[in-house]
Amino acid sequence: MARTDRPRAGLRLMHVHAHPDDESSKGAASTAKYVSEGVDVHVATCTGGERGSVLNAKMDRPEVWENISEIRREEMHRARDILGIRQDWLGFVDSGWPEGDPKPPLPEGCFALVPLEEATERLVRLIREFRPHVLTTYDERGGYPHPDHIRCHEVSVAAYAAAGDPEQFPDAGEPWQPMKLYYHHGWSWAKTNALHEAMLAHGLESPYTERLATWEREADWDDRITTRVPCGDFFGVRDQALLAHATQIDPDGMWFAIPREIQQKVWPTEDYELVESTVESTRPEDDLFAGIPIPAP
């Protein structure tokens, strides 16, 4: 394929996620956009999602629960193919979502309890092998406070800092320093409220009424967004990738409660926070690769 058909060939992007399905629910449309432009996109999945709930009633069957690990792996492979990415497992075990008051201890050997250095080395090895220009992960709250998401944040930040340092993990490959580190910001108050208002304006029931009524808005948090990637044309690819995770995504549920046409008109971007950068770029950005030159072919 000619370079003109793949104008950004040579650029590399790595997303680090906690579980299979996270790559489809967070940043999937911008992933598909970059893939269409020739960017090589790699997803590192920290766990196998073994302790995830079955959130689609149609899949809540004994044979699904008996084979949940294999099924979730197959779902990831389907989503990977839909998005056009490559993907690797870091090989850790899902920590599960602790419930109760007080919450029970996390299962022995789970990802959230693995020593930080051990998990960081595995990700550093992948970073040095793939050599991404840009790395994305979750914010310090994990996007939401699942122990695996918080650990994913900690591991990603540590690996970003270590990957270019020859003195850290010297047996994990030749050093490589990604140029930029971003956090996902999937559901800001501004985005949620804009979609809510648009649904009401169209005479439709908003799925966010109850959530917004109890939302303690943090304006400072929304202000952290630095980068809005226009990707509305790829919301359909995102939705297909989501549906590939049939145990996690209910096709009649919240993920699809807002008509795609409204989403594309009201909030046609996916949003990120630039946290670290070795290059100059003007903020606000509309591109994760702002300031990074396209490598020579």
Side-chain angles (χ1 to χ4, degrees):
M1 187 180 291
R3 185 66 176 258
T4 54
D5 297 326
R6 304 173 71 247
R8 313 191 84 178
L11 292 173
R12 295 180 296 278
L13 169 63
M14 176 178 276
H15 301 301
V16 187
H17 287 292
H19 309 109
D21 78 76
D22 289 327
E23 83 298 325
S24 298
S25 60
K26 302 164 187 67
S30 45
T31 289
K33 162 189 153 55
Y34 284 123
V35 168
S36 77
E37 296 171 349
V39 175
D40 193 357
V41 181
H42 190 295
V43 166
T45 309
C46 295
T47 79
E50 301 90 346
R51 292 190 171 98
S53 302
V54 174
L55 301 177
N56 179 356
K58 299 180 184 69
M59 296 292 290
D60 191 0
R61 307 190 304 269
E63 66 270 22
V64 171
W65 284 105
E66 290 167 6
N67 298 284
I68 192 66
S69 296
E70 294 80 3
I71 289 171
R72 296 216 65 192
R73 184 172 288 265
E74 290 170 2
E75 291 173 344
M76 178 70 247
H77 291 170
R78 285 196 292 273
R80 177 193 66 193
D81 292 344
I82 290 166
L83 292 171
I85 60 174
R86 47 174 137 171
Q87 181 262 346
D88 278 292
W89 307 90
L90 285 193
F92 296 106
V93 177
D94 190 341
S95 304
W97 177 255
E99 295 185 271
D101 187 15
K103 293 183 177 180
L106 294 174
E108 184 177 349
C110 71
F111 176 51
L113 297 182
V114 168
L116 180 61
E117 185 173 3
E118 178 184 342
T120 300
E121 180 174 12
R122 291 197 199 179
L123 182 55
V124 165
R125 191 176 296 276
L126 273 184
I127 291 172
R128 289 176 177 174
E129 178 183 338
F130 180 62
R131 301 164 72 86
H133 299 96
V134 173
L135 188 75
T136 79
T137 191
Y138 314 136
D139 59 62
E140 65 272 20
R141 299 178 181 177
Y144 78 109
H146 191 295
D148 286 339
H149 282 242
I150 293 171
R151 196 54 159 174
C152 178
H153 160 81
E154 295 166 347
V155 170
S156 301
V157 170
Y160 177 87
D165 185 349
E167 295 186 1
Q168 295 198 56
F169 309 111
D171 297 327
E174 290 296 317
W176 173 264
Q177 181 59 58
M179 296 180 183
K180 301 173 89 173
L181 172 66
Y182 287 92
Y183 295 161
H184 293 279
H185 278 261
W187 286 96
S188 63
W189 181 91
K191 174 180 177 178
T192 306
N193 188 63
L195 292 169
H196 169 77
E197 294 291 345
M199 290 290 282
L200 298 182
H202 283 79
L204 300 171
E205 183 179 353
S206 168
Y208 305 128
T209 301
E210 184 176 338
R211 182 178 181 187
L212 285 165
T214 59
W215 193 315
E216 296 182 11
R217 186 181 181 189
E218 298 176 86
D220 291 349
W221 189 265
D222 286 2
D223 288 345
R224 288 173 52 167
I225 294 172
T226 62
T227 311
R228 302 186 190 277
V229 179
C231 53
D233 290 346
F234 296 89
F235 284 177
V237 181
R238 173 205 64 191
D239 291 349
Q240 290 303 308
L242 276 167
L243 289 168
H245 292 283
T247 57
Q248 293 287 294
I249 304 298
D250 181 354
D252 301 317
M254 286 279 291
W255 287 108
F256 305 100
I258 307 290
R260 191 182 304 158
E261 294 79 7
I262 290 179
Q263 295 181 51
Q264 290 171 324
K265 181 177 181 180
V266 173
W267 208 274
T269 66
E270 289 179 337
D271 306 333
Y272 299 83
E273 175 188 354
L274 177 60
V275 183
E276 299 282 349
S277 182
T278 65
V279 298
E280 295 292 329
S281 62
T282 301
R283 303 183 193 185
E285 301 174 326
D286 62 2
D287 180 13
L288 299 180
F289 293 96
I292 299 176
I294 297 175

